[in-house]
Amino acid sequence: MDKYHHSQRLLEELELVLRQHSHWQLTPPDEQLLTSTEPFAIDTLDCHQWLQWIFIPKFGQLIALQLPLPTQFEISPYIEEAMKEKVGVNDILSVTRQLDLLFKQH
């Protein structure tokens, strides 16, 4: 399986896990909250909101358009810290760690 297909499968799995643990929102946050320039939109969004409204859509767009995928990134340490008290964090980390590993490979 190529990186595009593998990434798409992991994004779908991430969405499913977020939904299963009630971290998926039906209503998007205000548009101004989505325009943060801080890493992970840490100043305007909760971690699960960043995953849903920024990470998954932007990464999905790269996949859909077959654009170059990022390299050498790691999001799990942030998720582990930001969601340490949240229900389902281990399930979420299971998926994000797979993404991290996929993009550490050369």
Side-chain angles (χ1 to χ4, degrees):
M1 179 178 334
D2 70 22
K3 273 193 178 180
Y4 288 99
H5 289 99
H6 195 176
S7 300
Q8 182 61 43
R9 185 184 62 74
L10 289 171
L11 288 184
E12 291 166 2
E13 191 175 334
L14 180 57
E15 178 179 337
L16 179 63
V17 169
L18 289 167
R19 287 180 183 275
Q20 287 173 337
H21 293 289
S22 301
H23 295 301
W24 196 261
Q25 298 176 320
L26 299 178
T27 307
D30 289 335
E31 190 66 34
Q32 68 212 26
L33 299 178
L34 299 173
T35 60
S36 170
T37 58
E38 292 295 315
F40 309 107
I42 197 167
D43 59 334
T44 59
L45 300 175
D46 290 335
C47 181
H48 68 278
Q49 292 174 309
W50 174 78
L51 286 168
Q52 178 181 353
W53 301 107
I54 296 177
F55 180 76
I56 292 173
K58 286 188 177 191
F59 212 98
Q61 187 175 27
L62 293 177
I63 294 166
L65 298 174
Q66 297 282 298
L67 295 172
L69 297 173
T71 59
Q72 301 297 317
F73 80 89
E74 198 172 15
I75 61 171
S76 295
Y78 166 64
I79 292 163
E80 186 171 14
E81 180 60 29
M83 297 189 76
K84 63 184 171 191
E85 305 293 326
K86 304 288 185 187
V87 173
V89 66
N90 289 330
D91 293 338
I92 295 165
L93 284 168
S94 174
V95 179
T96 61
R97 286 180 178 142
Q98 290 178 65
L99 275 167
D100 290 348
L101 283 173
L102 182 63
F103 289 96
K104 280 187 176 180
Q105 299 171 0
H106 298 289

